[in-house]
Amino acid sequence: MTYCLAIALQEGLVFASDSRIRSEDGQIITTGKMHCFGRDGERQLVLLTAGNLATTQAVVAQLRRDLEGSALNLDTLDSVGGAADYLGGVFLETRTHYGDTDTSTCFILGGQIGSDKPEVMLVYPQGNHITTSNETPYLQIGESKYGKPVLDRFLDPATGLDQAARCAMISMDSTMRSNSLVGPPVELLLYERDSLCPGRRLKLSEDSDYLREIRRAWEANLQAAFETLAPIPALGMQSADQD
Amino acid sequence: MTYCLAIALQEGLVFASDSRIRSEDGQIITTGKMHCFGRDGERQLVLLTAGNLATTQAVVAQLRRDLEGSALNLDTLDSVGGAADYLGGVFLETRTHYGDTDTSTCFILGGQIGSDKPEVMLVYPQGNHITTSNETPYLQIGESKYGKPVLDRFLDPATGLDQAARCAMISMDSTMRSNSLVGPPVELLLYERDSLCPGRRLKLSEDSDYLREIRRAWEANLQAAFETLAPIPALGMQSADQD
């Protein structure tokens, strides 16, 4: 399984990914799902992957080969949307070539090219893509449901980069707790708008102080939050129809 | 869609259900999914339903007919497990009769019979069932993922009845926020162990003061919890391999 997400903010972009994959015979593989591309001062792109590992690795390998051998590549395309179209094409070709019918495989591609605003795209197996909105400034791939409520409660495009990254960490932690097939190391990347530099990239292992501390603090805070909630109203304070 | 859950605690049982269903042509129907059975001082059973409405209504109707016309019914069976077996049989017969192949339909049946400990069972379309454990003292049916992290973080069998009910409300609220096909009224039932009486049953409509207040308080508390989290460590404090 996999959980990856990306958030588009006024201040920049946040990317997060887990590193756990279960192979078809049940083996647990640990492998990074965050891949960075770019030229400092010109463009930065981050790719997150979910689904069939053979397909995603073949796609990433093709993107890297194209950097050397094709005029059309992640260093030459002039928009993030154009890069997502190109990725969608490579993805579709790879699936067709290997007869991959797994529809859970998909990618998130985000970044900034030149003076365009930073953007994030989710690329589907059909080769098409969607982007974020003001109302839903994030995209998720893989095991997305467990970690969605905290994103829905806290994120909007005006959220600060660091705060959004903490929100992403909570979302990741909730997912790892509820599905053991999503697991550390957690990779986190904070890209500051208009920097056109690789950004702050962290790799948090299972025993990372920060991962443990954020989990401990969040649980303690939630516990305290929980205890201040109003008690369930006594019968009669609300309508209480009997079936 | 549907979200229902039940929690088994040392102090008793908590049941919660939403009331929204989307019919095949897209119409939104509001209908209760919590059904109570029992004889005061002798037994109490609560049934929660998810999936194909025609099937769940047919099953509930059969259970009610059996109360009058069959020796084997929810008033005569001598254990919650036996009642779950009986329900599984009625469920399987109903599915077969109508050719229902929808595998998302299922039931939660919980309660207490005589001096047995209170129990909760999840009954599958195959007619078999599972129960809770010390480690996972709850069962969910329908749209279960959004509301799972808060249950995993807070519940154990020693959790108090009222606190577990608040946890169920937060779990329900998170689910309603993230999937608009899960919606109010929310029904909540708190059954106190050994009372053998119907328990506190509340029906909280969309504009219920309690539902609004618990949502507001939880969001405010989470926001405060969020702001006290340690900032993301600066690059270099953790390993930061480049791909």
Side-chain angles (χ1 to χ4, degrees):
Chain A
M1 204 66 209
T2 284
Y3 180 42
C4 298
L5 76 157
I7 310 168
L9 305 154
Q10 288 161 8
E11 291 186 3
L13 305 171
V14 171
F15 300 88
S17 58
D18 86 310
S19 303
R20 192 164 290 174
I21 282 183
R22 186 175 57 172
S23 69
E24 278 186 19
D25 61 359
Q27 272 202 305
I28 299 294
I29 296 164
T30 300
T31 184
K33 300 167 190 177
M34 181 183 287
H35 306 272
C36 297
F37 300 84
R39 288 168 178 270
D40 289 4
E42 194 189 292
R43 63 177 62 217
Q44 294 297 325
L45 291 166
V46 177
L47 183 70
L48 306 175
T49 68
N52 186 302
L53 185 61
T55 296
T56 61
Q57 287 190 349
V59 168
V60 172
Q62 184 62 48
L63 300 184
R64 296 211 181 275
R65 275 197 301 274
D66 284 354
L67 287 175
E68 307 297 329
S70 165
L72 195 72
N73 65 49
L74 291 179
D75 276 354
T76 58
L77 287 150
D78 64 0
S79 69
V80 177
D85 274 336
Y86 154 72
L87 166 63
V90 172
F91 183 14
L92 204 51
E93 269 170 40
T94 306
R95 291 183 69 222
T96 307
H97 182 75
Y98 292 108
D100 174 12
T101 55
D102 180 351
T103 55
S104 73
T105 307
C106 44
F107 295 88
I108 288 175
L109 180 70
Q112 184 172 21
I113 293 178
S115 57
D116 285 3
K117 73 169 184 177
E119 285 183 294
V120 174
M121 310 282 168
L122 194 167
V123 180
Y124 292 107
Q126 293 78 10
N128 54 357
H129 61 264
I130 59 168
T131 189
T132 59
S133 67
N134 273 338
E135 291 69 28
T136 307
Y138 62 86
L139 294 169
Q140 304 168 290
I141 54 177
E143 179 62 281
S144 60
K145 289 189 177 185
Y146 297 121
K148 187 171 183 287
V150 72
L151 305 177
D152 285 333
R153 287 187 197 273
F154 291 125
L155 292 180
D156 69 63
T159 306
L161 207 56
D162 201 277
Q163 194 172 28
R166 278 177 274 171
C167 192
M169 289 301 299
I170 298 296
S171 177
M172 183 62 76
D173 185 50
S174 295
T175 307
M176 292 193 298
R177 275 194 70 110
S178 286
N179 186 337
S180 61
L181 297 176
V182 176
V186 174
E187 295 200 78
L188 186 66
L189 191 148
L190 287 74
Y191 171 75
E192 208 172 310
R193 182 176 182 148
D194 297 333
S195 68
L196 298 172
C197 288
R200 274 160 67 196
R201 183 172 177 182
L202 306 168
K203 188 171 181 175
L204 303 164
S205 63
E206 185 138 32
D207 59 355
S208 117
D209 291 342
Y210 186 69
L211 203 55
R212 277 195 303 204
E213 169 54 23
I214 204 167
R215 175 176 296 171
R216 192 207 55 73
W218 185 244
E219 300 229 333
N221 288 347
L222 283 196
Q223 189 72 48
F226 206 59
E227 277 158 19
T228 66
L229 288 178
I232 303 294
L235 196 62
M237 282 185 61
Q238 306 283 342
S239 120
D241 306 341
Q242 284 293 320
D243 174 75
Chain B
M1 205 64 210
T2 284
Y3 179 42
C4 298
L5 76 157
I7 310 169
L9 305 153
Q10 288 160 8
E11 291 186 3
L13 305 171
V14 172
F15 300 87
S17 57
D18 87 310
S19 303
R20 192 164 291 173
I21 282 182
R22 186 173 59 169
S23 69
E24 278 186 19
D25 62 358
Q27 271 202 305
I28 298 294
I29 296 164
T30 300
T31 185
K33 300 168 191 177
M34 182 183 287
H35 307 273
C36 297
F37 300 84
R39 288 169 180 269
D40 290 4
E42 193 188 293
R43 63 177 63 217
Q44 294 297 324
L45 291 166
V46 177
L47 183 69
L48 306 175
T49 68
N52 186 303
L53 185 59
T55 296
T56 61
Q57 287 190 350
V59 168
V60 172
Q62 185 63 46
L63 301 184
R64 295 210 181 276
R65 275 196 302 275
D66 284 353
L67 287 175
E68 308 297 328
S70 166
L72 194 73
N73 65 50
L74 291 179
D75 276 355
T76 58
L77 286 150
D78 64 1
S79 70
V80 177
D85 273 336
Y86 154 72
L87 166 62
V90 173
F91 183 14
L92 204 50
E93 268 170 38
T94 307
R95 291 183 70 222
T96 307
H97 182 75
Y98 292 109
D100 174 10
T101 55
D102 179 352
T103 55
S104 73
T105 308
C106 44
F107 296 88
I108 287 174
L109 181 70
Q112 184 173 21
I113 293 179
S115 57
D116 284 3
K117 72 170 184 176
E119 286 183 292
V120 174
M121 310 282 166
L122 194 168
V123 180
Y124 291 106
Q126 293 76 8
N128 54 356
H129 61 265
I130 59 167
T131 189
T132 58
S133 66
N134 272 340
E135 292 68 28
T136 307
Y138 62 86
L139 295 168
Q140 303 169 290
I141 53 177
E143 180 62 281
S144 60
K145 291 190 177 184
Y146 297 120
K148 187 169 182 289
V150 72
L151 305 177
D152 285 332
R153 286 186 196 275
F154 291 126
L155 291 181
D156 68 64
T159 306
L161 206 56
D162 202 278
Q163 194 173 28
R166 279 177 274 169
C167 190
M169 289 302 297
I170 297 297
S171 176
M172 183 62 76
D173 185 50
S174 294
T175 307
M176 293 194 297
R177 277 195 70 113
S178 286
N179 186 339
S180 62
L181 297 176
V182 176
V186 174
E187 294 199 80
L188 186 66
L189 192 147
L190 287 73
Y191 172 76
E192 207 173 311
R193 180 173 185 151
D194 297 332
S195 69
L196 298 172
C197 288
R200 274 159 70 196
R201 182 170 177 182
L202 306 167
K203 188 171 181 173
L204 303 163
S205 64
E206 183 135 34
D207 58 356
S208 118
D209 290 342
Y210 185 69
L211 202 54
R212 277 195 304 203
E213 170 53 23
I214 203 166
R215 175 176 296 172
R216 192 207 57 74
W218 185 244
E219 300 229 333
N221 289 347
L222 284 196
Q223 189 72 47
F226 207 57
E227 278 158 19
T228 65
L229 288 179
I232 303 293
L235 195 63
M237 282 185 62
Q238 306 285 339
S239 122
D241 306 341
Q242 285 294 320
D243 176 70

